[in-house]
Amino acid sequence: MIYNIPYLAVAALIIIGLYAILFKRNLIKIVIGITILESGVNLFLITLGYRKNAVAPIYTNLPEGTSIPEGMTLPVPQALTLTSIVIGVAVLALMLAISIQIYKKYRTLDVAKIRRLKG
């Protein structure tokens, strides 16, 4: 049962993020929902790469071309998560910058009002 806790946290983060994206009308709340959803996906990647009683493969004296021993975690999910975090920060900055420009033009962050004002 203890091994299911990270997966429950992943499901909770993804559900909260989807709720904010689908049912909120404020643009900033939608951006926050996208960020929460992204955090859920990152936690899922890290959870997939977890091995009990394993160490991180930071530095070893293994010869080139050998496979990862049983006592080490897989480095690929960790590398993917780091890449995802960096990309996520850039996308968050872009979404917030676009939200600021939308607010300057329409004087509102309500998505329904912005849709009515288009044209």
Side-chain angles (χ1 to χ4, degrees):
M1 180 62 187
I2 191 98
Y3 299 113
N4 292 334
I5 292 175
Y7 293 110
L8 294 175
V10 165
L13 286 172
I14 290 176
I15 289 170
I16 291 169
L18 283 175
Y19 172 77
I21 293 168
L22 296 175
F23 296 110
K24 295 297 180 183
R25 293 173 55 177
N26 189 326
L27 210 52
I28 300 298
K29 290 180 182 177
I30 293 171
V31 169
I32 291 171
I34 292 171
T35 305
I36 292 172
L37 180 72
E38 177 194 350
S39 297
V41 171
N42 288 340
L43 181 61
F44 182 66
L45 284 172
I46 291 296
T47 304
L48 285 179
Y50 175 75
R51 287 187 185 172
K52 187 177 178 180
N53 298 327
V55 296
I58 296 172
Y59 176 75
T60 63
N61 290 327
L62 292 175
E64 193 69 33
T66 59
S67 63
I68 297 173
E70 284 297 315
M72 293 186 175
T73 61
L74 295 173
V76 175
Q78 296 171 9
L80 286 173
T81 303
L82 284 174
T83 305
S84 174
I85 289 169
V86 171
I87 292 170
V89 168
V91 170
L92 175 64
L94 180 66
M95 288 187 295
L96 289 175
I98 291 172
S99 298
I100 290 170
Q101 295 302 317
I102 288 173
Y103 182 76
K104 284 181 180 178
K105 182 172 182 175
Y106 296 113
R107 291 290 177 206
T108 184
L109 290 173
D110 190 355
V111 176
K113 290 179 183 176
I114 293 170
R115 285 186 186 148
R116 269 185 282 171
L117 295 173
K118 74 178 183 179

